[in-house]
Amino acid sequence: MHAQVGIIGAGPAGLLLGHLLHLKGIDSVIVENRSQDYVIDRVRAGVLEQGTVDLMIQMGVGARLQREGLRHEGLYISFSGRRHHIDLAELTGGKAITVYGQNEVVKDLIDARIATGRPVYFEAANVSVHDIDSPRPKIRFQKDGRNQEIACDFIAGCDGFHGICRPSIPEGSIKIYEREYPFGWLGILAEAAPSSEELVYTYHERGFALFSMRSPKITRLYFQVPPAEDIGNWSDDAIWDEMLIRMTTRDGWKPNTGRILQKGVTPMRSFVAEPMRYGRMFLAGDAAHIVPPTGAKGLNLAAADVMVLAQAFARFYQQNSTQLLDQYSDICLRRVWKAQRFSWWMTSTLHRFPGETEFDYRRQLADLDYLIGSRAAMTSLAENYVGLPMDVPLV
Ligand code: APR
Ligand code: PHB
């Protein structure tokens, strides 16, 4: 087999890239090690920036997103028992975020991929990359017990944080910047109508909590726990007790409770690999960087990366220029680091750190009090939250 671009991973990064390339007349093969159902059912993030929504619409894959996505023009920051509204749209000249599960994005993109008739292999075993610093890099894998090889012009490593692309780069050719946080999030999906139309980020003396949703019938909630917390230690009743303690405000607002459909604990880290390229292999999305989920940036950063990468491949095939490919890593990393800064700031401001002093606690409360009292501070949060401007034209 031959492909202009071999894409490893059918998450948001790989699928968006595949479709952007299709629209530009560039052929690709997508190779994914999990099954189609697994990729679609996996519960992940759910906040799309304005630019990500615009991208989906302009790519022609936004119809269901426009119908079913929940547009939010604001959010709440809650502390000391009070919720404070931040009007994202008013502070950013009309921008908003849209709540639409990552798994819904992935489902729409898989449907679009299949409709193009271009190849996507699920359940590919032992995926590996070869000769990535040569003009003819290769992807090898096994499908239904048969060995397959794809000779490519380029490889896009869109295989997430635990993928094989980044580790295939020789040590010394890539530098890692990393921070682990001394906590994780316990998250649930509950059969309960959201009791607020907008997200509520809570700073509580027992730790962070977040109220979110997936649909008019499904609530998504999180709270801060120790990083290696065993979900087996938490009965459904204990989870609800803790959610309600942290989230209930003095005016009596609290999440509606209901049957817990899914629960799990996720660790939190900040991670950047530089540069996002080795030879003819380009890393995009979680394969190159991870942000803690507090800023809701992971999926949106993946979308921004592949927009740049698709333009760069188009410039190569249409104008025989490697200029944008050569700039790919630098262009993406400027945005990645700003998202890292914002995600770190949201995380530090809203979580309790083990070993912190009473001074730290008071200072953090003052930070939040300053935020909700200053239009400048709220504007800074709002413009980062709805998403900084994209670096290249949408499609
Ligand atoms: N071979 C093939 N595919 C692989 C391999 C491998 N060795 N390892 C991982 N994959 C697949 C995963 O199964 C997954 O479907 O690569 C895909 C990577 O997708 P994501 O982890 O979703 O990463 P990405 O597409 O970069 O999306 C960015 O935003 O909300 C955040 O962290 C969240 O998933 C997220 C992301
Ligand atoms: C979610 O709905 O899953 C979600 C929302 C906001 C975040 C993180 C996760 O910051």
Side-chain angles (χ1 to χ4, degrees):
M1 277 189 282
H2 174 263
Q4 288 175 307
V5 181
I7 300 174
I8 305 192
L15 291 164
L16 279 169
L17 179 63
H19 204 70
L20 282 168
L21 294 178
H22 163 73
L23 296 173
K24 293 173 192 298
I26 299 169
D27 74 69
S28 64
V29 175
I30 302 180
V31 180
E32 162 67 48
N33 64 351
R34 303 287 194 158
S35 71
Q36 186 171 337
D37 287 346
Y38 180 92
V39 171
I40 290 174
D41 291 339
R42 191 166 43 186
V43 180
R44 305 289 277 274
V47 170
L48 307 188
E49 291 176 358
Q50 184 79 53
T52 308
V53 172
D54 294 345
L55 176 67
M56 294 276 290
I57 293 168
Q58 288 208 22
M59 287 169 71
V61 292
R64 198 163 69 93
L65 164 62
Q66 281 179 293
R67 267 197 324 273
E68 295 175 20
L70 306 170
R71 182 179 158 89
H72 288 193
E73 298 200 338
L75 57 76
Y76 292 92
I77 299 285
S78 176
F79 59 98
S80 304
R82 290 197 177 86
R83 281 189 301 160
H84 304 269
H85 192 242
I86 297 197
D87 192 334
L88 298 172
E90 199 259 327
L91 292 162
T92 60
K95 291 187 186 160
I97 53 121
T98 297
V99 171
Y100 190 65
Q102 177 172 319
N103 50 327
E104 308 298 340
V105 172
V106 164
K107 184 172 185 305
D108 296 344
L109 290 169
I110 290 177
D111 288 348
R113 177 73 185 185
I114 290 169
T116 65
R118 295 192 188 268
V120 46
Y121 294 94
F122 289 97
E123 297 175 82
N126 302 316
V127 180
S128 59
V129 292
H130 305 269
D131 309 327
I132 46 181
D133 55 351
S134 82
R136 188 49 87 205
K138 293 165 196 75
I139 301 174
R140 294 198 187 117
F141 60 99
Q142 281 131 30
K143 176 72 189 160
D144 301 326
R146 299 232 308 268
N147 291 329
Q148 303 282 355
E149 181 177 282
I150 309 170
C152 310
D153 296 344
F154 300 99
I155 291 176
C158 301
D159 52 349
F161 186 66
H162 300 287
I164 51 97
C165 290
R166 192 184 63 253
S168 305
I169 298 175
E171 229 177 285
S173 299
I174 198 162
K175 184 162 167 52
I176 305 296
Y177 301 86
E178 192 168 16
R179 158 169 298 190
E180 289 196 5
Y181 295 86
F183 39 75
W185 281 8
L186 186 156
I188 62 166
L189 206 56
E191 208 169 36
S195 62
S196 161
E197 285 189 358
E198 293 172 347
L199 272 58
V200 185
Y201 286 83
T202 300
Y203 179 63
H204 188 273
E205 60 177 330
R206 293 168 71 93
F208 171 80
L210 172 61
F211 171 93
S212 180
M213 65 203 69
R214 283 294 174 276
S215 74
K217 290 184 178 151
I218 303 287
T219 297
R220 176 98 172 127
L221 303 170
Y222 302 92
F223 59 74
Q224 171 186 350
V225 290
E229 187 77 340
D230 179 359
I231 189 70
N233 294 338
W234 287 87
S235 68
D236 290 3
D237 286 346
I239 291 175
W240 280 122
D241 287 347
E242 191 64 27
M243 290 290 181
L244 292 173
I245 290 174
R246 294 197 198 181
M247 290 189 195
T248 306
T249 47
R250 289 188 199 176
D251 61 5
W253 178 81
K254 56 177 190 281
N256 291 328
T257 57
R259 190 161 65 93
I260 295 183
L261 303 171
Q262 191 266 349
K263 56 182 172 179
V265 173
T266 20
M268 313 254 286
R269 63 155 69 79
S270 303
F271 177 98
V272 182
E274 291 194 10
M276 291 166 57
R277 169 191 191 167
Y278 179 74
R280 288 206 158 210
M281 183 172 78
F282 294 81
L283 302 177
D286 276 16
H289 40 73
I290 293 279
V291 282
T294 329
K297 290 280 160 265
L299 167 60
N300 297 295
L301 274 183
D305 286 353
V306 297
M307 274 172 61
V308 179
L309 191 52
Q311 300 266 355
F313 285 139
R315 193 79 70 83
F316 176 82
Y317 287 110
Q318 287 158 10
Q319 296 170 23
N320 201 22
S321 164
T322 62
Q323 193 191 2
L324 202 49
L325 282 172
D326 294 337
Q327 293 171 347
Y328 167 74
S329 179
D330 288 345
I331 292 174
C332 291
L333 284 168
R334 281 187 73 187
R335 185 187 182 80
V336 165
W337 275 108
K338 279 179 252 180
Q340 288 290 356
R341 183 206 70 80
F342 176 66
S343 305
W344 163 85
W345 174 77
M346 286 282 279
T347 304
S348 318
T349 306
L350 290 163
H351 288 74
R352 296 220 63 188
F353 286 71
E356 69 182 17
T357 62
E358 273 299 300
F359 177 89
D360 296 319
Y361 181 57
R362 295 277 168 193
R363 181 190 45 73
Q364 245 166 287
L365 285 172
D367 234 341
L368 292 166
D369 200 18
Y370 168 66
L371 170 68
I372 55 106
S374 158
R375 188 174 169 90
M378 281 192 287
T379 304
S380 171
L381 182 152
E383 68 187 10
N384 280 282
Y385 196 81
V386 300
L388 296 173
M390 291 291 185
D391 315 286
V392 291
L394 278 183
V395 177

